[in-house]
Structure formats: C-alpha cells, structure tokens
Amino acid sequence: DAGITQSPRHKVTETGTPVTLRCHQTENHRYMYWYRQDPGHGLRLIHYSYGVKDTDKGEVSDGYSVSRSKTEDFLLTLESATSSQTSVYFCATLAGPTDTQYFGPGTRLTVL
Amino acid sequence: AQSVTQPDIHITVSEGASLELRCNYSYGATPYLFWYVQSPGQGLQLLLKYFSGDTLVQGIKGFEAEFKRSQSSFNLRKPSVHWSDAAEYFCAVAPTSGTYKYIFGTGTRLKVLA
C-alpha cells in the first residue's frame, strides 16, 4: 500500500448535517482521488486533485466539495448530507501517470 | 462518451477451472488499462496494467490480460482458479495524458465452488 489512511472508517449521520472525510497519505504522491462505491455502479469519481490547491470535478461531484491545503491531506466535505450519499468512500493516490493507483481502506458513511 | 463495460455481473466457476472476465471500453484513443481486485470489506488492489508494448500482460496471483485494440477489449484470464480468488474484479481505464481521471467498470463478482 502507499500509506493511505482514511478517517473516520465508519460514520452514521443525519440528513442535513455537514460531514468531512479525511484522506491522509505518507508517500508524497501528487494525485489524490475520492471515489464512491455503490452496488451496481462500481467506483465513480467524485473529485480529484493534481496538486496542492489544484482540484477538479469527477462524474458525481454534485453535493460534494474538496480541499487540499497540504500534499498529504485531501478532504471531502458533504455540505448537507442526504440519504443518497450513503455509500462507501474510497481515497486513492497516484505518484505519476504510469504509476500504480493505491487505494485506502474506505469509509462507510450512512446518512439517515 | 468514455465508458468501461463489464458485461458479467456475476460469474461462478469451480476451483481448478479456467477463468476469463470480460472488459470492453469506449475511448477516443487507446487508454491505459487496469484490472483491480477487491476482497470483501477491503480496498482495491492492482492486479495488472497495460500502458504500451506487449499486448499480453502478466500480473500478480497468476492473472494475465490481453489487450485487443480491434475489439477495444482487455479481458482478464487465469488458467486455474483457487478458492481464494473469490472477490470482485474491476476493469479501469485512464487517459495517457491530461487529467488522469480513471473510469471504472461496474465490476464482476467471482464465486468459486469447492
């Protein structure tokens, strides 16, 4: 693995509350990604980052925002959680284009 | 639109039998190609990847995949399946330049019978 940790690992929250998920890496990889995994949909990209303060949207970015103020940390925020955001969230990192994308252990989020 | 299709949602094979998991992609140009495996409750682990060159790629755990440009396919194979191979398998593509946004297929869940 590439020293990727995600916190929290599990979270239950209520509709309308803000939620922040954290991804931390120790390998100084340039690229970082947030995906959500849902049955029948595989992994879908939410946002990704190609450097500090440099981020871009993925295919399912509505309702999510991200921030990357340090190379090692990539935060995913649900401004006002909805039940449709109940999912397993994976962070991933990539050193460079021809390198291997490494995945974190995932965060299971339940929005009631 | 760019997409990855894994036509088989579930596959069941007997231990010792051969395995082929299908992956087709739709992309403007030949992308980078990947296969990942996910055991229950775990993150994804890279099995193999294709960037260029030899179209038959060897990976970990005895897996291989063949890139066929004419068919836009990147099928995963294993000659003899072990019970520990039971997992979900994902095919993915990424552009060779630019944004490095990965696109994943919806996955194929493999069940292995003893």
Side-chain angles (χ1 to χ4, degrees), chain A residues 48-65:
Chain A
Y48 87 112
S49 169
Y50 47 96
V52 173
K53 296 191 181 351
D54 292 322
T55 64
D56 196 6
K57 295 179 179 180
E59 62 180 306
V60 290
S61 59
D62 288 347
Y64 302 94
S65 62

Side-chain angles (χ1 to χ4, degrees), chain B residues 19 25 39 59:
Chain B
L19 172 70
Y25 65 89
S39 299

Side-chain angles (χ1 to χ4, degrees), chain A residues 20-52:
Chain A
T20 295
L21 308 183
R22 179 179 184 243
C23 177
H24 179 78
Q25 58 133 335
T26 59
E27 298 295 320
N28 203 37
H29 287 174
R30 177 182 176 186
Y31 301 90
M32 296 186 75
Y33 301 78
W34 276 109
Y35 296 92
R36 60 177 289 174
Q37 184 177 27
D38 305 287
H41 292 278
L43 273 79
R44 292 180 291 174
L45 181 64
I46 304 171
H47 283 279
Y48 87 112
S49 169
Y50 47 96
V52 173

Side-chain angles (χ1 to χ4, degrees), chain A residues 33 37 48 57 98 100-101, chain B residues 38 51 99-102:
Chain A
Y33 301 78
Q37 184 177 27
Y48 87 112
K57 295 179 179 180
T98 58
T100 296
Q101 183 171 131
Chain B
Q38 184 181 34
F51 291 142
T99 62
Y100 307 120
K101 291 182 180 180
Y102 283 59

Side-chain angles (χ1 to χ4, degrees), chain A residues 47-103:
Chain A
H47 283 279
Y48 87 112
S49 169
Y50 47 96
V52 173
K53 296 191 181 351
D54 292 322
T55 64
D56 196 6
K57 295 179 179 180
E59 62 180 306
V60 290
S61 59
D62 288 347
Y64 302 94
S65 62
V66 290
S67 65
R68 192 171 179 199
S69 58
K70 299 184 291 185
T71 298
E72 58 265 35
D73 289 324
F74 192 32
L75 304 180
L76 176 70
T77 297
L78 290 64
E79 302 290 348
S80 178
T82 67
S83 58
S84 65
Q85 294 175 313
T86 293
S87 187
V88 180
Y89 292 85
F90 285 99
C91 173
T93 71
L94 180 71
T98 58
D99 294 303
T100 296
Q101 183 171 131
Y102 292 99
F103 283 81

